[in-house]
């Protein structure tokens, strides 16, 4: 396993890449309303990324046909935007996207409610977000990678939710997916020791029901096997000697 340690210059480029992506998400969040299609959300995100002079790193990645993954309700990740998939009041929608700025990748995801949503859906979104913050309490130099995984798992299991095990977080830098892989569920081993300069995409994916998922016939869209709702929260994180720096955070979200 070769985990890249970013130089001061590379960290600055990562910061800028992530700052631009956070701006894209801020504006995409405003577009999430009943009546909009998942295709239109993709168009909003794609145009904003290009307006910043950047490249959408999801588009054509291993054949993915869009710039933004738009996953609704029981769709966990990698939902393909469609003109006929219209968001309805009460839906939840997960947006996952990244961009390339001067050769450096950023990646983030958020789940939003569409109009008024159920209390159970609100709690799922809030707790998925909080599980990320419980995990990154351990994301500092000298700790071990799986301390993050165990922190996420310990928080989530009290609610009876299912943690997706077929998909994990990852390192990020000059490639979208770099070493190491970062599970969101408990590990017996400790994993590699974290070092300042590592950049990681940490992304709990949490189902209201069981953890089991399956892939649809398009070979991309991942859905919960039991049809339950799923939420996703992701930031690109810089490991430092002190507290981690959340490079894609915007307005506290």
């Amino acid at each position: 396993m070769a985990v890249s340690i970013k130089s001061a210059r590379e960290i600055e480029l990562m910061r800028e890449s992530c700052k631009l992506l956070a701006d894209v998400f801020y504006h995409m969040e405003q577009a999430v309303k009943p009546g909009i299609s998942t295709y239109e959300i993709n168009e909003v995100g794609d145009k904003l990324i290009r307006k910043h002079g950047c490249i959408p790193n999801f588009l054509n990645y291993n054949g993915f046909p869009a710039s933004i993954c738009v996953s609704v309700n029981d769709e966990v990740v990698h939902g393909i935007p469609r003109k006929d998939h219209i968001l309805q009041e009460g839906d939840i929608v997960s947006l996952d996207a990244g961009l390339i700025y001067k050769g450096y990748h950023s990646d983030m995801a958020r789940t939003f409610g569409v109009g008024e949503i159920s209390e159970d859906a609100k709690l799922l979104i809030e707790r998925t977000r909080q599980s990320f913050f419980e995990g990154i309490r351990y994301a500092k130099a000298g700790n071990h990678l799986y301390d993050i995984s165990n922190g996420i798992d310990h928080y989530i299991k009290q609610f009876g939710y299912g943690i997706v095990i077929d998909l994990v977080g990852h390192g990020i830098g000059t490639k979208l997916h770099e070493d190491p892989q970062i599970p969101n569920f408990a590990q017996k081993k400790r994993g590699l020791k974290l070092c300042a300069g590592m950049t990681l995409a940490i992304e709990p994916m949490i189902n209201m029901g069981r953890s089991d998922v399956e892939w649809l016939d398009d070979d991309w869209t991942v859905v919960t096997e039991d049809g339950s709702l799923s939420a996703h929260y992701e930031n690109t994180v810089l490991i430092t000697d002190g507290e981690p720096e959340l490079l894609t955070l915007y307005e506290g979200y």
Side-chain angles (χ1 to χ4, degrees):
M1 183 187 300
V3 180
S4 66
I5 306 297
K6 309 302 187 296
S7 68
R9 173 60 178 159
E10 288 178 306
I11 289 169
E12 283 306 311
L13 292 169
M14 291 288 293
R15 282 195 183 107
E16 188 60 24
S17 179
C18 291
K19 178 182 176 183
L20 294 172
L21 182 60
D23 181 70
V24 171
F25 265 76
Y26 173 79
H27 287 91
M28 285 199 299
E29 180 182 0
Q30 315 311 310
V32 172
K33 293 181 175 63
I36 194 171
S37 71
T38 58
Y39 177 86
E40 289 173 298
I41 292 175
N42 178 74
E43 289 291 286
V44 169
D46 181 87
K47 287 177 182 176
L48 285 165
I49 290 171
R50 296 181 190 281
K51 183 178 178 182
H52 285 310
C54 299
I55 299 168
N57 54 10
F58 284 20
L59 182 61
N60 299 319
Y61 184 78
N62 292 334
F64 189 74
S67 298
I68 316 295
C69 295
V70 188
S71 307
V72 183
N73 293 333
D74 66 333
E75 297 174 347
V76 181
V77 287
H78 306 159
I80 297 175
R82 303 197 323 257
K83 291 181 179 179
D84 63 349
H85 197 163
I86 308 300
L87 297 185
Q88 308 292 328
E89 183 93 13
D91 286 342
I92 66 172
V93 58
S94 298
L95 307 181
D96 187 7
L99 57 78
I100 308 170
Y101 170 79
K102 294 186 178 179
Y104 285 81
H105 290 257
S106 49
D107 190 7
M108 64 184 289
R110 298 288 189 273
T111 300
F112 303 113
V114 183
E116 286 298 316
I117 62 175
S118 70
E119 189 62 27
D120 283 346
K122 287 179 185 176
L123 287 172
L124 176 67
I125 293 171
E126 290 170 5
R127 289 166 175 170
T128 299
R129 178 181 184 272
Q130 186 59 34
S131 74
F132 167 88
F133 286 96
E134 295 295 325
I136 64 157
R137 289 169 54 197
Y138 305 98
K140 59 184 70 175
N143 286 345
H144 288 76
L145 183 68
Y146 296 153
D147 296 338
I148 300 170
S149 308
N150 295 339
I152 293 169
D153 186 286
H154 179 74
Y155 173 77
I156 282 296
K157 67 181 180 183
Q158 66 183 303
F159 305 113
Y161 296 150
I163 301 173
V164 175
I165 62 175
D166 292 53
L167 301 152
V168 297
H170 52 92
I172 185 169
T174 55
K175 296 179 181 177
L176 175 57
H177 292 106
E178 299 183 350
D179 286 334
Q181 292 194 342
I182 310 166
N184 300 301
F185 45 94
Q187 303 290 304
K188 292 182 179 179
K189 295 181 179 180
R190 298 198 71 190
L192 62 85
K193 185 173 282 190
L194 298 174
C195 299
M198 289 180 176
T199 44
L200 309 175
I202 300 169
E203 50 177 324
M205 291 156 273
I206 309 299
N207 301 340
M208 191 175 286
R210 298 194 314 271
S211 62
D212 309 88
V213 299
E214 58 187 3
W215 273 253
L216 297 185
D217 289 343
D218 60 23
D219 287 332
W220 276 108
T221 309
V222 180
V223 299
T224 58
E225 201 172 82
D226 60 7
S228 63
L229 296 178
S230 186
H232 187 192
Y233 187 87
E234 175 185 21
N235 282 304
T236 299
V237 177
L238 171 67
I239 302 300
T240 75
D241 288 319
E243 294 302 312
E245 185 177 339
L246 308 186
L247 302 179
T248 46
L249 205 64
Y250 71 94
E251 296 196 351
Y253 192 74

